[in-house]
Amino acid sequence: MKRRTFIAGAVSAAIAAPAVAQTASKMQTLAIFSPFEPQTLMHEKSSNRYYRALFAELRRLGHVEGRNLAIERYGKEQNTAGSGPLAAQVVHDKQDVVYVVGPDILDLKARTSTIPIVALTGDPLAQGLAKSLSHPGGNITGVSVDTGPAIYGKRIELLRELAPAVSKLAFLGLRGAWDGIIGRATRAACKAAKILLVPALLDPPTSDAGYRGAVNAAKSEGAGALIVIDNPDALEHRAAIVEAAAQARLPAIYGISEFVEAGGLIAYSLDLVGLNLQAARDIDAILRGADPGGIPFFQSTKFELSINLKTAKALGLTVPRILLARADVVVE
């Protein structure tokens, strides 16, 4: 696989954090709560580059697992009765700080107003997590993957540059996303673009077969393309999703660049590495005594456009030169 890499977007500014931190003297506790990700990913040597970035930054700031930091991981393996009961277990275990990945922050929010929480989540204001981005108040701060509804319109615009004939688009994702903010924003973007949007939804627990079935159902209902909603669950099943889209001959746009590396057509993604670096700085600040309510929520301003030329060719699509020139990553 040959790749060309370019630099795009503005570099995100970090909130105040020490450049060189002293190692804490006592053992402190961090919980990682991501009910739809395998616990095996939540490690310093993970195959997931976002967790690697998180742990590398924590180490740089002086927090080393087994030396002065104890970590409890609450992932897919522990999620046997639903994310609500798992959130209750996190609260029962009384960690010094909890790092939450994904929309299940609401399950945790409902169960504690005192345990400090750093969240990688959607719009914190729309979810009622913060009073304002600059001063969240309460016990929750973090980083937001939501840059407003415009990003969904941008993804649809990019997909149509590759597949201009598409008039019916399938929303592939979890039912909760369709019923919530993401679904509403995507429906609004499709209405503005005069594209019919149909749901291709899954309920947890999910599986490769479930995603394949949803893609095939979308195809049978006349969808001409897919917009795949980015979340940890979809990322885990990316190989099956990409394979199903290829077999159904459906152009698809994704929100995470790993899908393009796995053979997906196009992705317009946030700087998730940068967001995890910032999350580590927030965790560090809280472990050193900062009030999470006074730490601003951070929003990324850096985006990455990835295109897979091999997949475009297999689908019979021509990538416009102007789109190719804008790409940050091109898989040939």
Side-chain angles (χ1 to χ4, degrees):
M1 179 174 69
K2 184 179 179 182
R3 178 183 297 173
R4 295 185 294 151
T5 304
F6 305 83
I7 297 175
V11 177
S12 301
I15 65 168
V20 178
Q22 296 178 355
T23 303
S25 58
K26 68 172 184 176
M27 184 70 73
Q28 295 178 292
T29 58
L30 166 68
I32 300 177
F33 179 66
S34 185
F36 296 102
E37 282 188 296
Q39 183 190 40
T40 53
L41 292 181
M42 304 171 189
H43 290 271
E44 188 170 6
K45 296 182 179 180
S46 172
S47 60
N48 182 304
R49 63 187 174 123
Y50 310 121
Y51 277 112
R52 291 201 306 272
L54 176 81
F55 281 100
E57 186 68 356
L58 285 173
R59 177 179 283 274
R60 187 186 74 83
L61 293 167
H63 306 285
V64 181
E65 184 175 11
R67 182 187 302 169
N68 59 4
L69 186 65
I71 301 177
E72 292 291 337
R73 297 166 172 87
Y74 302 82
K76 189 173 184 178
E77 296 89 342
Q78 290 75 33
N79 188 14
T80 57
S83 58
L86 190 59
Q89 183 62 49
V90 175
V91 173
H92 177 269
D93 292 344
K94 297 181 179 178
Q95 311 293 338
D96 289 321
V97 60
V98 182
Y99 180 45
V100 183
V101 179
D104 300 287
I105 176 61
L106 295 178
D107 286 324
L108 205 58
K109 180 181 182 294
R111 289 165 172 80
T112 180
S113 60
T114 57
I115 297 175
I117 296 171
V118 173
L120 190 157
T121 188
D123 185 340
L125 301 180
Q127 294 179 93
L129 302 179
K131 295 177 182 178
S132 70
L133 294 178
S134 61
H135 192 85
N139 64 318
I140 302 173
T141 188
V143 295
S144 173
V145 298
D146 191 291
T147 58
I151 192 170
Y152 303 102
K154 182 64 176 180
R155 285 173 178 155
I156 292 167
E157 174 190 320
L158 289 167
L159 179 62
R160 292 192 90 177
E161 287 190 52
L162 276 174
V166 170
S167 60
K168 191 173 184 179
L169 183 66
F171 176 107
L172 181 66
L174 298 176
R175 190 175 305 278
W178 173 261
D179 294 335
I181 299 166
I182 294 174
R184 290 195 295 272
T186 308
R187 289 192 290 275
C190 283
K191 184 178 180 180
K194 298 181 180 180
I195 293 178
L196 179 63
L197 183 68
V198 296
L201 308 178
L202 298 94
D203 293 301
T206 62
S207 64
D208 283 354
Y211 275 104
R212 291 191 186 100
V215 171
N216 292 334
K219 175 72 172 181
S220 66
E221 291 177 11
L226 301 170
I227 181 167
V228 180
I229 303 308
D230 49 314
N231 57 58
D233 186 77
L235 183 62
E236 182 189 353
H237 296 285
R238 63 188 178 277
I241 294 171
V242 166
E243 181 183 22
Q247 290 176 348
R249 296 192 61 76
L250 290 176
I253 186 160
Y254 306 90
I256 303 176
S257 60
E258 275 82 351
F259 282 90
V260 171
E261 294 173 7
L265 177 62
I266 183 171
Y268 188 63
S269 55
L270 293 169
D271 178 20
L272 287 171
V273 167
L275 289 176
N276 274 275
L277 291 174
Q278 183 57 50
R281 295 175 194 130
D282 290 349
I283 292 168
D284 167 68
I286 291 169
L287 289 175
R288 294 177 186 279
D291 176 7
I295 301 174
F297 253 97
F298 180 82
Q299 287 183 305
S300 178
T301 58
K302 183 178 179 181
F303 300 88
E304 183 178 81
L305 176 61
S306 308
I307 300 173
N308 192 310
L309 291 181
K310 182 178 179 181
T311 301
K313 182 177 180 181
L315 291 170
L317 301 175
T318 300
V319 181
R321 287 188 178 182
I322 190 169
L323 183 61
L324 195 60
R326 285 154 48 197
D328 303 285
V329 175
V330 177
V331 179
E332 299 178 309

